[in-house]
Amino acid sequence: MKYKIIPVTPFQQNCNLIWCDKTNKAAIVDPGGDVDRIIAEVEKHGVDVEKVLLTHGHIDHVGGATELAQRLNVPIIGPHKDDQFLLDDLADQSRMFQFKPCDTFVPAQYLNDGDVVTVGDLSLQVCHCPGHTPGHVVFFEPLTKTAWVGDVLFKGSIGRTDFPQSSHPALIDSITKKLWPLGGEVEFIPGHGPSSTFAQERRSNPFVADQLFG
Ligand SMILES: [Zn+2]
Ligand SMILES: [Zn+2]
């Protein structure tokens, strides 16, 4: 498994190109925008993109999804159906955050907790992690113990819960009951900012460190 972080949009959202180094098949996670830059990375690495994966319905994560899916002729998969209300609202989100006008869309497939998404020979496990948004999902690659967690968890912080249908208690449950059991050694790539490990966050994250729940 290999991946490349591609920061996109004025929000410096971590779009990711993930690929199987045996088959050269790839997926793009959260193409928020800057589609030309994403396609340049695809060409640079010479990989064959099979699908676009979405963690949740916020525009900085999905703003380039339809354009990218059309240009590469691949399906959009995810998030969980509980985020469809955000995808239905993309025209408003694009105005509000001054993004390129963005049409609403329905993904080819919604994702549920326990689903497995393949990328070549790789299998990514899907964890439904509501809280930041109700339909947020996380992708976990168990062999390398790598997780793409969107806006659930950050190095030293957690996702905002001041949006419509956000829930702080649900977010805390998602982190402590869905993510921590995957293992302290898991390295995660958040939707914004630097990577970290679950063990590091359990030690020092001011919102979800173990000592807060003792
Ligand atoms: Zn978000
Ligand atoms: Zn975000």
Side-chain angles (χ1 to χ4, degrees):
M1 190 278 292
K2 293 212 165 107
Y3 69 89
K4 172 76 198 287
I5 299 173
I6 312 163
V8 294
T9 87
F11 292 85
Q12 289 294 289
Q13 191 274 125
N14 290 329
C15 172
N16 275 254
L17 176 64
I18 301 174
W19 69 98
C20 166
D21 42 3
K22 278 193 226 136
T23 62
N24 242 18
K25 300 286 186 192
I28 294 165
V29 180
D30 286 357
D34 300 333
V35 170
D36 288 340
R37 195 188 315 162
I38 297 169
I39 287 179
E41 288 289 341
V42 170
E43 287 169 354
K44 181 172 139 194
H45 293 284
V47 294
D48 178 15
V49 175
E50 290 184 307
K51 52 194 76 171
V52 169
L53 302 175
L54 300 179
T55 61
H56 67 294
H58 283 155
I59 188 137
D60 54 322
H61 296 253
V62 310
T66 46
E67 181 190 343
L68 187 66
Q70 274 162 14
R71 285 173 63 177
L72 297 177
N73 194 26
V74 297
I76 298 173
I77 297 174
H80 185 281
K81 69 173 177 342
D82 287 355
D83 265 17
Q84 183 60 48
F85 78 104
L86 290 167
L87 303 179
D88 289 339
D89 186 44
L90 283 172
D92 277 352
Q93 286 193 59
S94 56
R95 265 196 305 277
M96 197 181 320
F97 297 104
Q98 294 170 1
F99 272 64
K100 229 160 94 171
C102 186
D103 285 334
T104 67
F105 64 92
V106 175
Q109 184 193 338
Y110 293 124
L111 291 172
N112 290 302
D113 197 54
D115 283 351
V116 173
V117 173
T118 61
V119 182
D121 288 349
L122 302 173
S123 294
L124 304 179
Q125 295 174 7
V126 175
C127 302
H128 181 205
C129 290
H132 175 70
T133 67
H136 201 303
V137 297
V138 162
F139 299 101
F140 175 59
E141 203 288 301
L143 298 177
T144 57
K145 297 201 174 287
T146 309
W148 289 267
V149 303
D151 289 351
V152 172
L153 178 68
F154 303 107
K155 182 181 169 72
S157 189
I158 60 173
R160 285 171 58 176
T161 50
D162 55 343
F163 296 112
Q165 296 193 37
S166 291
S167 162
H168 181 77
L171 182 64
I172 300 297
D173 271 3
S174 288
I175 294 167
T176 58
K177 295 180 180 156
K178 293 269 184 70
L179 297 186
W180 290 171
L182 298 175
E185 67 276 40
V186 172
E187 175 165 33
F188 69 92
I189 296 102
H192 307 263
S195 303
S196 178
T197 65
F198 290 164
Q200 172 67 34
E201 299 312 303
R202 291 184 73 158
R203 273 195 300 275
S204 63
N205 188 304
F207 299 90
V208 286
D210 288 353
Q211 67 206 31
L212 299 171
F213 305 98

